[in-house]
């Protein structure tokens, strides 16, 4: 019998999607096991484009600066024609704006992106487990059991959920019997990371553009390599060695001054466009390439995968912390339509590339993708300006009330929800909740809208509030009068009010403490809630002891005063009563000091 261990989540696959999900769970203190059947991390540059929306995700995860430093902006395309080389711009370059701080796609080899993600994961104390192959799956109403072949033998791991981030040939998807319909796009290509002499690094070089004999060399910033790309016939055997690729390149370009010295990684592949029938089967989910397969045009595949994981991570953590299970159904409802739209865009760009149109516009940035039709987008009064529920939450420069400049993205950064009130009365804000950060903007708030950028980006009127999800999308926009709707919304996604206990109060007539109902707090349901309840109980214990001590001293002072006034029958009776009260209070205080078994 193989040993059995337990965790919250099993992530199968250590590509960009699996690593993004692992980082998001790690910062939320969710237990997980991250495995891959490969003996080592992926070494290729296959998905080299990082779009602006993914850059925003990486900022939130705390890794954007390292990823930017690992690559650079796309170089110009240098098209070699009969009349000489012509330089063309690959993408439309736009300057950053206050609401969109990242406008330019980055060129970062996939293996460097994933290396930076592993480094970030290590900062949370986690590391992937390589040479760990998923070989069997089973699930029931409460958990998933996974059989994993490891270098030390087979192991069984139980988890609440399992995520298949294991690529286009996903074992998880196939085992679950989920169909992967789509089409082969009639294009076979080679891609290789090579060391090459005789070519400059200041441009993406293209020969034979728009013909069956085209080939390109793109400098891989952050390395001394180039990525070689070329379409090839289906019925041709390929030599992907350095010598073979040198001969291939010479045959297509006629140049013998370019020599491939070494091949770091190479692949011949057929382009497909496919989309899984469903992203969820019970307690198992698909994400990334396991759920959708894209042609490389437009640099959409890796970015869509990263944002899949970013959408799923906070929902898994919320449900594990007590949110309704139904929250997880919104993952597919939100992400599958996005993948469908992106697949259509990638196919459109592929057809354009066949006609020598390689220009890229805003449509590839993924900044305009959102969840307007999601169950998590709260409907409200019709808005004629500003953001809508389901849209990406814009950034904006602001100033803290203490005088230091900051940004909305800095306020959003982290695993929490954010509630922003625009020109509101602070007294109108809802009570604090764990996992919710509340900020008010305006002369009476903790944030000042310097430059009026928040008002411009969000279109908020005075006394309006906007609720921002943990993944940076607008959940709701309401007025102060409708804040109760926000409270109900947060209850439904697991952001519950703190358990509040009324402090002891005194009745004017007797001066004795009023009892607090034992039903005044909700029953804790998770280990973290139990720890919080215990801490709160200990605070109540300390407060009760202090108040009882003060009350006892006051009663004793009253007793001495009564005895000084004479020994009439009434006074003696009152004296005896007070003495009994003191004795009862003393016994209660002793019990509170010694009995720590409050459950």
């Amino acid at each position: 019998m193989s040993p059995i261990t337990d965790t919250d989540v099993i992530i199968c696959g250590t590509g960009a999607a699996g690593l993004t999900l692992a980082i998001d769970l790690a910062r939320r203190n969710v237990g997980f096991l991250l495995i891959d059947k490969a003996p080592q991390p992926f070494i290729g540059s296959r998905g080299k484009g990082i779009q602006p929306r993914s850059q925003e995700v990486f900022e939130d995860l705390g890794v954007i600066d390292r990823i930017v430093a690992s690559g650079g902006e796309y170089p110009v395309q240098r098209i070699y024609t009969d009349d000489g080389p012509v330089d063309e711009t690959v993408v439309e370059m736009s300057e950053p704006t206050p609401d969109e701080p990242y406008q330019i796609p980055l060129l970062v080899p996939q293996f460097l992106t994933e290396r930076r993600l592993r480094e970030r994961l290590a900062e949370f104390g986690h590391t992937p487990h390589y040479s760990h192959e998923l070989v069997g799956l089973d699930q029931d109403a409460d958990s998933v059991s996974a059989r994993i072949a490891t270098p030390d033998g087979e192991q069984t791991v139980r988890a609440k959920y399992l995520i298949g981030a294991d690529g286009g040939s996903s074992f998880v998807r196939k085992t679950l019997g989920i169909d992967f319909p789509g089409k082969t796009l009639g294009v076979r290509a080679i891609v290789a990371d090579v060391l090459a002499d005789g070519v400059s690094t200041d441009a993406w070089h293209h020969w034979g553009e728009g013909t069956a004999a085209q080939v390109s060399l793109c400098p891989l910033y952050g390395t001394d390599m180039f990525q070689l790309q070329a379409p090839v016939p289906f019925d041709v055997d390929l030599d992907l060695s350095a010598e073979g690729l040198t001969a291939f390149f010479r045959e297509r370009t006629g140049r013998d001054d370019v020599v491939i010295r070494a091949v770091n990684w190479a692949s011949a592949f057929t382009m497909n466009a496919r989309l899984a029938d469903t992203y969820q089967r019970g307690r198992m989910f698909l994400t990334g390439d396991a759920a959708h397969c894209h042609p490389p045009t437009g640099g959409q595949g890796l970015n869509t995968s990263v944002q899949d994981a970013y959408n799923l991570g906070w929902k898994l953590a919320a449900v594990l912390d007590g949110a309704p299970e139904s929250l997880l159904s919104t993952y597919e409802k939100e992400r599958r339509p996005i993948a469908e739209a992106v697949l259509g865009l990638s196919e459109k760009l592929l057809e354009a590339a066949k006609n020598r149109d390689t220009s890229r516009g805003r449509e590839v940035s993924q900044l305009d993708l959102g969840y307007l039709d999601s169950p998590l987008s709260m409907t409200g009064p019709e808005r004629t300006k500003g953001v809508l529920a389901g849209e990406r939450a814009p950034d904006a420069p602001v100033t803290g009330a203490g005088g230091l400049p900051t940004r909305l993205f800095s306020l959003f950064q982290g695993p929490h929800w954010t509630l922003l009130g625009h020109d509101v009365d602070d007294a109108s804000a809802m009570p604090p909740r764990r996992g919710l950060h509340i900020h008010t903007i305006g002369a009476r708030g903790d944030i000042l809208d310097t430059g009026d950028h928040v008002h411009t980006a969000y279109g908020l009127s005075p006394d309006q509030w906007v609720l921002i999800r943990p993944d940076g999308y607008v959940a709701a926009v309401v007025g102060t009068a409708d804040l109760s709707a926000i409270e109900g919304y947060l209850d439904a996604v697991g952001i519950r009010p703190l358990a509040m206990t009324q402090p002891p109060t005194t009745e004017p007539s007797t001066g004795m403490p009023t009892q607090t109902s034992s039903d005044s707090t909700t029953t804790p349901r998770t280990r973290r809630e139990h720890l919080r309840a215990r801490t709160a109980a200990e605070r109540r214990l300390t407060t009760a002891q202090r108040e009882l001590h003060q009350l006892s001293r006051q009663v004793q002072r009253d007793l001495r005063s009564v005895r000084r006034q004479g020994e009439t029958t009434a006074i003696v009776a009152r004296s005896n009563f007070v003495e009994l009260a003191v004795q009862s209070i003393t016994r209660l205080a002793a019990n509170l000091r010694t009995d720590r078994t409050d459950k």
Side-chain angles (χ1 to χ4, degrees):
M1 180 69 69
S2 60
I4 297 177
T5 57
D6 293 306
T7 190
D8 289 324
V9 180
I10 300 170
I11 306 170
C12 183
T14 60
L19 288 166
T20 297
L21 179 58
I23 292 171
D24 204 18
L25 295 181
R27 67 176 182 164
R28 298 173 190 277
N29 298 314
V30 173
F32 64 89
L33 178 66
L34 176 61
I35 62 171
D36 200 302
K37 68 179 181 180
Q40 62 188 12
F42 178 62
I43 62 171
S45 65
R46 185 164 47 212
K48 63 182 183 296
I50 307 296
Q51 301 296 347
R53 177 55 185 157
S54 294
Q55 294 172 44
E56 294 180 350
V57 172
F58 288 146
E59 179 183 349
D60 181 49
L61 297 179
V63 75
I64 181 61
D65 291 331
R66 278 172 279 187
I67 287 180
V68 171
S70 299
E73 297 177 8
Y74 274 79
V76 298
Q77 292 194 76
R78 185 160 296 158
I79 312 297
Y80 292 87
T81 70
D82 292 341
D83 298 325
V86 177
D87 286 354
E88 297 180 353
T89 302
V90 182
V91 294
E92 297 176 5
M93 299 295 184
S94 301
E95 290 298 318
T97 63
D99 61 324
E100 294 178 351
Y102 303 102
Q103 288 277 348
I104 301 173
L106 295 175
L107 192 163
V108 185
Q110 182 174 341
F111 68 89
L112 287 183
T113 297
E114 293 177 0
R115 181 184 301 173
R116 302 307 170 224
L117 293 175
R118 287 194 301 274
E119 290 169 354
R120 180 62 172 146
L121 184 62
E123 292 174 354
F124 290 104
H126 296 274
T127 186
H129 296 269
Y130 293 99
S131 297
H132 280 56
E133 182 177 3
L134 186 64
V135 296
L137 291 171
D138 192 17
Q139 65 175 321
D140 55 31
D142 300 315
S143 64
V144 175
S145 292
R147 291 190 295 109
I148 302 171
T150 79
D152 298 321
E154 188 173 295
Q155 180 182 16
T156 298
V157 179
R158 276 195 306 256
K160 292 294 184 182
Y161 301 99
L162 183 141
I163 315 302
D166 48 344
S169 58
S170 170
F171 173 84
V172 175
R173 188 189 65 242
K174 293 176 180 177
T175 302
L176 293 176
I178 296 175
D179 288 338
F180 201 39
K183 56 186 176 182
T184 298
L185 300 175
V187 178
R188 185 187 184 212
I190 59 173
V191 58
D193 297 345
V194 302
L195 294 174
D197 293 332
V199 62
S200 66
T201 60
D202 63 339
W204 186 345
H205 305 273
H206 292 258
W207 292 268
E209 195 69 3
T211 72
Q214 64 182 296
V215 63
S216 70
L217 284 172
C218 179
L220 293 175
Y221 294 139
T223 78
D224 54 359
M225 295 185 294
F226 291 83
Q227 184 187 71
L228 183 150
Q229 292 177 303
V232 292
F234 280 90
D235 56 352
V236 173
D237 291 331
L238 299 170
D239 180 358
L240 299 181
S241 68
E243 296 77 9
L245 289 178
T246 298
F248 172 86
F249 183 85
R250 183 179 297 121
E251 178 184 352
R252 292 215 168 179
T253 66
R255 293 182 59 164
D256 57 9
D257 58 331
V258 176
V259 177
I260 308 298
R261 290 192 290 108
V263 178
N264 187 63
W265 169 80
S267 174
F269 66 99
T270 300
M271 295 186 190
N272 288 277
R274 300 188 179 277
L275 180 62
D277 275 348
T278 182
Y279 281 20
Q280 179 180 3
R281 188 64 57 81
R283 291 182 165 271
M284 304 190 205
F285 297 81
L286 301 178
T287 195
D289 289 350
H292 42 78
C293 181
H294 304 252
T297 45
Q300 299 295 288
L302 180 145
N303 294 274
T304 305
S305 298
V306 164
Q307 292 168 55
D308 283 348
Y310 191 56
N311 181 286
L312 181 58
W314 71 266
K315 296 174 181 178
L316 282 169
V319 171
L320 286 166
D321 198 33
E325 193 90 20
S326 58
L327 179 61
L328 290 173
S329 68
T330 66
Y331 165 62
E332 178 173 342
K333 291 175 183 176
E334 292 185 340
R335 291 306 301 171
R336 195 172 183 277
I338 294 290
E340 192 170 19
V342 169
L343 280 169
L345 172 63
S346 298
E347 290 183 64
K348 173 186 171 184
L349 294 175
L350 178 61
E351 289 303 313
K354 292 177 181 178
N355 297 317
R356 301 186 64 175
D357 180 5
T358 57
S359 61
R360 300 288 183 266
R362 182 180 174 86
E363 71 274 10
V364 302
S365 71
Q366 302 200 347
L367 289 170
D368 298 324
L369 300 178
Y371 311 124
L372 293 176
D373 298 324
S374 168
L376 294 179
S377 299
M378 195 173 89
T379 57
E382 184 176 351
R383 290 173 55 76
T384 58
K385 63 178 182 178
V387 296
L388 302 176
E391 291 182 336
R392 164 192 166 274
D395 193 12
V398 294
T399 303
L404 295 180
T406 185
R407 298 161 53 215
L408 288 187
F409 275 12
S410 297
L411 302 184
F412 299 163
Q413 187 173 22
H416 56 270
W417 293 70
T418 306
L419 182 63
L420 297 176
H422 177 67
D423 197 16
V424 298
D425 184 351
D426 187 56
S428 68
M430 67 175 63
R433 295 181 178 222
R434 181 178 63 89
L436 176 67
H437 291 192
I438 302 175
H439 299 281
T440 54
I441 300 172
R444 296 172 290 173
D446 60 311
I447 298 297
L448 303 177
D449 186 9
T450 47
D452 210 31
H453 294 298
V454 178
H455 183 263
T456 300
Y458 284 80
L460 298 176
S461 302
D463 281 326
Q464 280 193 320
W465 299 80
V466 56
L467 179 65
I468 312 299
R469 295 168 24 159
D471 55 355
Y473 289 87
V474 175
V477 181
V478 302
T480 295
D482 297 319
L483 267 181
S484 59
I486 294 287
E487 294 184 278
Y489 180 104
L490 291 170
D491 289 339
V493 295
I495 305 300
R496 295 176 293 273
L498 297 175
M500 301 296 289
T501 301
Q502 294 296 327
T505 58
T506 57
E507 293 290 341
S509 59
T510 64
M512 297 299 289
T514 301
Q515 280 190 319
T516 302
S517 168
S518 61
D519 295 330
S520 62
T521 61
T522 57
T523 303
R525 296 195 298 175
T526 69
R527 181 167 56 187
R528 275 181 281 185
E529 287 180 329
H530 277 289
L531 291 174
R532 288 193 299 273
R534 177 177 176 176
T535 301
E538 290 176 343
R539 285 198 296 266
R540 293 196 303 274
L541 171 64
T542 302
T543 301
Q545 288 177 293
R546 182 172 60 252
E547 292 178 350
L548 284 170
H549 179 66
Q550 292 172 348
L551 181 61
S552 175
R553 293 180 60 186
Q554 180 61 49
V555 171
Q556 290 178 19
R557 284 196 296 270
D558 291 344
L559 176 60
R560 289 193 294 270
S561 176
V562 166
R563 285 176 171 165
R564 284 196 299 269
Q565 294 178 16
E567 291 291 334
T568 66
T569 302
I571 292 176
V572 170
R574 186 178 177 187
S575 172
N576 292 336
F577 172 79
V578 172
E579 285 181 324
L580 290 173
V582 171
Q583 293 171 10
S584 297
I585 290 170
T586 303
R587 285 196 301 272
L588 177 59
N591 289 337
L592 284 171
R593 284 194 298 271
T594 58
D595 185 8
R596 298 277 181 156
T597 60
D598 179 16
K599 293 181 175 55

